[in-house]
Amino acid sequence: MENQANSFSNVTGRYAKSIFQLANEKKIMNEVEKNFLQIHFLFNDSKDFVKFVTNPTIQKNTRLKIIENLSSKLNFNNCFTNFLKLINEKGRFFYLERIVKDFFSILSISKGEISAELIVANEISEDRKNDIKKELSLIYKKDMKLNFIIDPSLISGSILKVGSKMIDSSAKSKFNRILNNI
């Protein structure tokens, strides 16, 4: 992981790496991972939560009270709650979504997994998802943590993102290339 750690040298990466290391040292990784998952789901499921995180007009002490209420309701680990309070106090709370992504990337690296994203135009079956995951695991010779995203604007085809590499075989991309050459 130390080799990959340099890729987390930006602000969000440093915060994610810090909470990761602290959770590891205190042997509370499962709890902290669960709390990060809860935050991840909030970003996906609640527009109000996204507004709360990104709204710069919310005062730190108001945000602190909301963090405490949220932590109590969702039963967050004390270490995780203190982490949220810290990024609030440092004026970095708007980075929370990126910190969550970086945390899961660091966690995947520590587990020897490769994180990837497959963007498809239509829903695909669980069997097909498992087949794709197995094929990619064989290609990369590591466990694959694959996130599937549906984007109907692709028309057909897919976009695969593995690390900094992207393979775009979508009809949308091909159509745009044709239009640019006219």
Side-chain angles (χ1 to χ4, degrees):
M1 184 180 128
E2 203 55 47
N3 215 8
Q4 309 256 331
N6 293 334
S7 64
F8 298 103
S9 62
N10 61 7
V11 171
T12 60
R14 288 191 305 267
Y15 278 109
K17 189 175 170 190
S18 294
I19 187 69
F20 176 85
Q21 289 173 336
L22 185 63
N24 218 13
E25 287 171 15
K26 291 187 175 251
K27 305 209 184 311
I28 55 171
M29 186 61 73
N30 289 339
E31 293 174 57
V32 171
E33 181 181 358
K34 178 184 163 221
N35 296 155
F36 268 108
L37 267 175
Q38 290 170 300
I39 293 291
H40 173 74
F41 290 133
L42 283 172
F43 273 112
N44 290 335
D45 298 338
S46 173
K47 290 180 183 177
D48 288 336
F49 182 75
V50 173
K51 288 178 187 173
F52 161 68
V53 171
T54 59
N55 185 344
T57 63
I58 298 175
Q59 299 293 318
K60 285 182 184 178
N61 50 351
T62 303
R63 185 174 274 129
L64 179 62
K65 289 176 186 171
I66 296 170
I67 290 169
E68 289 170 346
N69 287 336
L70 188 65
S71 296
S72 175
K73 285 183 181 176
L74 295 176
N75 209 16
F76 285 162
N77 175 284
N78 286 337
C79 184
F80 187 75
T81 300
N82 289 336
F83 174 74
L84 295 177
K85 290 177 180 179
L86 173 74
I87 61 174
N88 178 54
E89 181 60 35
K90 297 294 182 184
R92 304 280 198 226
F93 205 77
F94 63 94
Y95 283 136
L96 184 58
E97 187 172 19
R98 188 65 216 155
I99 292 170
V100 170
K101 289 179 184 176
D102 287 350
F103 175 83
F104 283 116
S105 294
I106 293 168
L107 186 64
S108 288
I109 291 167
S110 76
K111 291 178 178 180
E113 299 173 333
I114 296 177
S115 291
E117 209 171 70
L118 184 63
I119 305 167
V120 293
N122 303 308
E123 183 66 42
I124 57 177
S125 71
E126 286 301 315
D127 287 342
R128 184 64 185 131
K129 286 179 182 179
N130 290 332
D131 290 344
I132 293 168
K133 185 177 174 183
K134 285 177 189 173
E135 288 178 37
L136 288 172
S137 292
L138 287 172
I139 292 169
Y140 285 95
K141 295 179 175 82
K142 287 192 176 203
D143 285 337
M144 183 66 62
K145 184 175 183 179
L146 193 54
N147 185 25
F148 290 88
I149 299 170
I150 298 170
D151 181 357
S153 73
L154 296 181
I155 305 167
S156 71
S158 63
I159 300 172
L160 176 64
K161 295 179 183 178
V162 181
S164 62
K165 294 182 181 183
M166 182 172 85
I167 302 167
D168 188 345
S169 65
S170 66
K172 178 181 178 181
S173 173
K174 292 174 184 176
F175 185 65
N176 285 337
R177 280 193 295 265
I178 291 169
L179 287 176
N180 288 335
N181 288 329
I182 294 177

